[in-house]
Amino acid sequence: MPQSRTNLNPEPKHSRPYITGLLLRYSTFGASILIFLAGLLLINWWLIVIGGLAVGLGIYDLIQTKHSILNNYPVAGHIRYVLEDFRPEIRQYLLEDDKEQVPFSRQQRALVYQRAKGVSDTNAFGTLDDLYAHGKEWFLQSAISAPIKNKDFRIIVGGEHCTQPHDMSVFNISAMSFGSLSANAIMALNQGAKMGGFTHDTGEGAISPYHRKFGGDLIWEIGTGYFGCRDENGDFDPQSFAEKAVDPQVKMIEIKLSQGAKPGKGGVLPSEKITQEIADTRQVPTGQDCVSPSSHTAFSTPRELVTFWQKLRELSGGKPVGFKLCIGQPWQFMAIVKAMIEMDNYPDFIVIDGAEGGTGAAPVEFMDNVGMPMVEGFLLVHNTLVGAGVRDKVKLGVSGKIVTGFDIARLIALGADWCNSARGFMFAVGCIQSRSCHTNTCPTGVATQDPYRQKALDVPSKAERVASFHKNTLKSLASIVGAVGLEHPSQLQPYHIARRLDDGQIKLLSKYFYFTDKGALLDQSARADVFNQMWVMANPNSFLANNDALIAYNKDSRDKGKETSAPTEKTVNSPEYDEVDGGQLIGNVNNTFRDLPSTNH
């Protein structure tokens, strides 16, 4: 065992006397004194000022007791703090690999900047990706590929209870609140959305004057704080909501159950970021933190949630109403689906937010360890709706690290109807990923309420970049769709993408991911029995799990020898099935059977 662990007074391993170590520790402070004295002797004011400030700083370091490093290394200790403060910038600009995602890689950011500026986004001399690495995915191009002329891909959102359906792009601005983002950033985003014909989600911070200035289409997000439609107690105010929701600029209403950055926690806007404008917009007082509770007060059960979204639909004049969530306990979402079916009332849309998302600041534990990642969360929602036989009644959007045409194409191939991006559009208005969004010191004026910092963000030019980023990303999406031999992203399927596994094998995503059969949950015949178990746990009258039903289901399965394996053969005569690469693959794996949207808009 080393001597240092057994001897409390070990002999030094070198002969350097103690005084030498002492001189080294205080050498920088000593140099400061020498500079100051040299300035006095030479009557050089620069040396006097620099040396004097350094001597004063050293004396303070010796007197203070809060920081031991500064006490042991006066003056020199501050170098550590400077390097620590600038470590993210040093890493990002000098050390970071082009493909290292922290959370977005240099290559991803550069691609957004290029498309936002409308400059060439092509590269030469081959890919930087390791095409043989496990997890690598690629689209399978077609021998009958052809370019697509109409690149403005759109969908219609609105179910049978909706009287004002919304015609929207398949790529839109995700939820970011005024307060989290600056007024200039909000204006640039909304003007860009107006110019490009896509939709801007307000975030839960209510509809500000800056959202209204340019008239871009809005999705009004209603969070747990009911900002913009709350009473004096912070509860939902129907009259206040109705007055704003009927505005023609508001196209859809989104109930936020949870968000990817901090699911289950709610949110906080620090008091230092709350200006009078923000207080008026959110209907909250100034001088204190603006807190979003972790859960809603307008409903407490799945059935009450269904009643709530129908109430919002009526108060808004029949506009599409849906909800956003980061998936947590799966049976709770399944409970909502059961309530939909029993009450025969469906949301017009659901947005799945991934745990990897988050323009909002959050504790590290929540960002890293709470909530389901986007793909798994989306597939659970998609498979549940398919298994319940109601996927065709609800449109699905996704949000979480989506910035490229491939990102959009991949998720639509898995079954999504549209994609949202938050940080991608932040890059488009100038964000440099300094990760200081919560400090009110954003260097580019995007995520700050400092009037001087945000003044640097020029709204007209940044709005053009927002529109350009959207247009060029859809152009990239169109190239992928055309290469696969299709006409619209809604025709993409999981078997159009291959994935390399850890052992080097290659699988189509239709075989890599689990896709349930249509209606399978209704009689608990899903091939993955965990879906059957979670489905019986779901209680439409409560968000709590029905464990008694699960126990009964498991007992019944044992007693009857329940068979949950899928049949291996499918008839080739059915139009719902196609033969692909010599194997039997479901022709529409997503079970959505989406019609090709009209090209007349």
Side-chain angles (χ1 to χ4, degrees):
M1 185 176 292
Q3 185 186 32
S4 60
R5 295 189 183 183
T6 58
N7 188 352
L8 298 180
N9 298 290
E11 293 294 327
K13 296 182 179 181
H14 49 76
S15 58
R16 185 174 61 190
Y18 175 77
I19 191 66
T20 303
L22 194 66
L23 289 174
L24 289 175
R25 283 167 51 194
Y26 294 99
S27 59
T28 306
F29 182 42
S32 302
I33 296 174
L34 293 176
I35 292 173
F36 178 67
L37 294 176
L40 292 176
L41 292 173
L42 300 175
I43 315 179
N44 186 310
W45 289 106
W46 284 108
L47 293 178
I48 293 173
V49 171
I50 294 173
L53 290 175
V55 170
L57 182 62
I59 294 173
Y60 167 79
D61 290 342
L62 291 171
I63 295 174
Q64 63 84 35
T65 57
K66 187 176 181 181
H67 302 287
S68 58
I69 289 179
L70 297 181
N71 191 272
N72 280 328
Y73 298 91
V75 183
H78 289 278
I79 298 174
R80 175 188 181 275
Y81 294 112
V82 171
L83 292 175
E84 189 176 59
D85 285 342
F86 284 95
R87 180 183 180 276
E89 288 79 7
I90 293 171
R91 177 179 176 81
Q92 180 174 335
Y93 294 120
L94 300 178
L95 305 176
E96 180 184 301
D97 183 83
D98 283 346
K99 300 292 293 185
E100 187 177 0
Q101 297 188 19
V102 284
F104 288 87
S105 70
R106 182 190 299 272
Q107 187 179 70
Q108 288 174 309
R109 299 194 306 272
L111 187 63
V112 175
Y113 298 147
Q114 289 163 347
R115 289 178 175 168
K117 295 175 183 178
V119 300
S120 174
D121 58 2
T122 58
N123 288 327
F125 219 65
T127 178
L128 297 179
D129 280 356
D130 179 2
L131 300 184
Y132 298 93
H134 64 82
K136 176 62 182 175
E137 295 178 348
W138 61 92
F139 271 95
L140 305 175
Q141 81 280 6
S142 170
I144 56 172
S145 61
I148 297 176
K149 293 182 179 179
N150 180 19
K151 301 175 179 63
D152 184 21
F153 303 123
R154 308 188 73 82
I155 60 167
I156 304 294
V157 179
E160 58 185 16
H161 292 285
C162 171
T163 59
Q164 297 188 53
H166 178 42
D167 177 10
M168 68 187 296
S169 171
V170 299
F171 186 44
N172 302 283
I173 301 173
S174 194
M176 294 180 285
S177 302
F178 170 56
S180 295
L181 297 193
S182 67
N184 282 23
I186 293 294
M187 287 191 288
L189 290 171
N190 193 255
Q191 186 179 14
K194 178 71 173 179
M195 295 165 63
F198 51 103
T199 310
H200 180 191
D201 193 313
T202 65
E204 67 174 314
I207 306 172
S208 72
Y210 306 106
H211 287 100
R212 298 186 182 279
K213 183 172 182 179
F214 296 102
D217 290 347
L218 294 176
I219 300 173
W220 183 11
E221 183 178 273
I222 308 297
T224 55
Y226 306 110
F227 301 126
C229 56
R230 57 191 267 143
D231 59 22
E232 58 186 12
N233 297 319
D235 296 323
F236 177 70
D237 183 351
Q239 182 177 352
S240 178
F241 170 80
E243 291 172 354
K244 300 177 179 70
V246 295
D247 189 321
Q249 189 181 353
V250 177
K251 301 299 182 183
M252 303 201 303
I253 311 297
E254 179 181 274
I255 305 166
K256 191 195 85 168
L257 301 185
S258 58
Q259 68 184 90
K262 44 196 169 188
K265 184 174 175 59
V268 177
L269 184 65
S271 58
E272 58 267 21
K273 291 188 72 173
I274 301 179
T275 64
Q276 189 60 52
E277 279 184 316
I278 293 173
D280 294 341
T281 298
R282 297 194 177 202
Q283 298 175 337
V284 297
T286 58
Q288 63 187 60
D289 291 345
C290 177
V291 179
S292 301
S294 58
S295 58
H296 283 264
T297 58
F299 56 88
S300 58
T301 69
R303 286 182 176 277
E304 290 177 359
L305 171 58
V306 176
T307 301
F308 184 60
W309 74 52
Q310 178 57 29
K311 182 178 183 179
L312 297 188
R313 191 181 279 138
E314 294 170 356
L315 290 172
S316 65
K319 293 181 179 179
V321 177
F323 61 89
K324 179 182 85 170
L325 81 167
C326 176
I327 292 294
Q329 298 172 11
W331 49 87
Q332 294 187 347
F333 174 75
M334 291 182 174
I336 297 173
V337 176
K338 281 188 174 181
M340 297 177 197
I341 295 172
E342 293 185 10
M343 299 175 71
D344 193 26
N345 193 313
Y346 302 89
D348 298 290
F349 66 92
I350 300 171
V351 175
I352 299 90
D353 205 12
E356 62 268 49
T359 54
V364 172
E365 292 86 352
F366 272 81
M367 285 194 292
D368 292 348
N369 305 299
V370 181
M372 194 174 291
M374 178 184 61
V375 173
E376 285 76 12
F378 166 75
L379 287 175
L380 184 133
V381 170
H382 174 74
N383 280 323
T384 299
L385 295 176
V386 171
V390 296
R391 175 63 180 86
D392 59 331
K393 296 180 180 295
V394 184
K395 290 290 191 294
L396 295 183
V398 288
S399 177
K401 294 192 74 172
I402 299 170
V403 295
T404 70
F406 175 80
D407 296 337
I408 300 171
R410 178 178 183 266
L411 287 161
I412 292 181
L414 290 177
D417 293 295
W418 86 86
C419 296
N420 293 334
S421 177
R423 288 170 287 184
F425 283 101
M426 286 180 69
F427 291 142
V429 295
C431 171
I432 61 171
Q433 195 173 267
S434 68
R435 304 183 71 188
S436 56
C437 308
H438 59 300
T439 64
N440 207 30
T441 60
C442 171
T444 59
V446 176
T448 179
Q449 297 307 309
D450 185 324
Y452 298 102
R453 289 177 180 268
Q454 67 173 293
K455 187 178 180 181
L457 195 157
D458 181 64
V459 173
S461 64
K462 298 302 185 184
E464 290 181 1
R465 292 190 179 186
V466 169
S468 178
F469 169 58
H470 176 268
K471 176 183 177 181
N472 288 321
T473 302
L474 287 189
K475 182 180 177 181
S476 169
L477 173 62
S479 298
I480 294 174
V481 174
V484 178
L486 305 175
E487 300 177 22
H488 192 277
S490 62
Q491 297 173 299
L492 291 168
Q493 296 293 327
Y495 52 72
H496 289 134
I497 306 178
R499 179 186 179 96
R500 189 178 300 281
L501 307 185
D502 293 356
D503 59 2
Q505 294 187 56
I506 297 172
K507 276 193 176 182
L508 303 181
L509 292 194
S510 56
K511 295 296 185 181
Y512 179 76
F513 290 115
Y514 169 77
F515 293 95
T516 194
D517 298 321
K518 187 174 182 179
L521 290 178
L522 300 179
D523 59 359
Q524 288 90 57
S525 63
R527 287 169 287 127
D529 195 47
V530 66
F531 271 82
N532 300 323
Q533 295 179 31
M534 292 188 295
W535 180 257
V536 300
M537 290 170 67
N539 181 1
N541 299 310
S542 172
F543 284 113
L544 299 177
N546 188 343
N547 291 313
D548 291 339
L550 176 62
I551 293 171
Y553 168 81
N554 288 332
K555 182 177 184 300
D556 184 61
S557 297
R558 288 194 300 271
D559 292 345
K560 294 183 178 181
K562 186 177 179 65
E563 175 59 57
T564 60
S565 60
T568 57
E569 296 294 332
K570 294 286 185 179
T571 174
V572 296
N573 297 321
S574 171
E576 296 184 5
Y577 301 95
D578 293 331
E579 187 171 334
V580 180
D581 294 336
Q584 299 297 324
L585 289 180
I586 297 177
N588 189 322
V589 177
N590 295 327
N591 281 286
T592 54
F593 298 98
R594 294 168 289 191
D595 294 328
L596 184 64
S598 171
T599 56
N600 298 321
H601 300 291

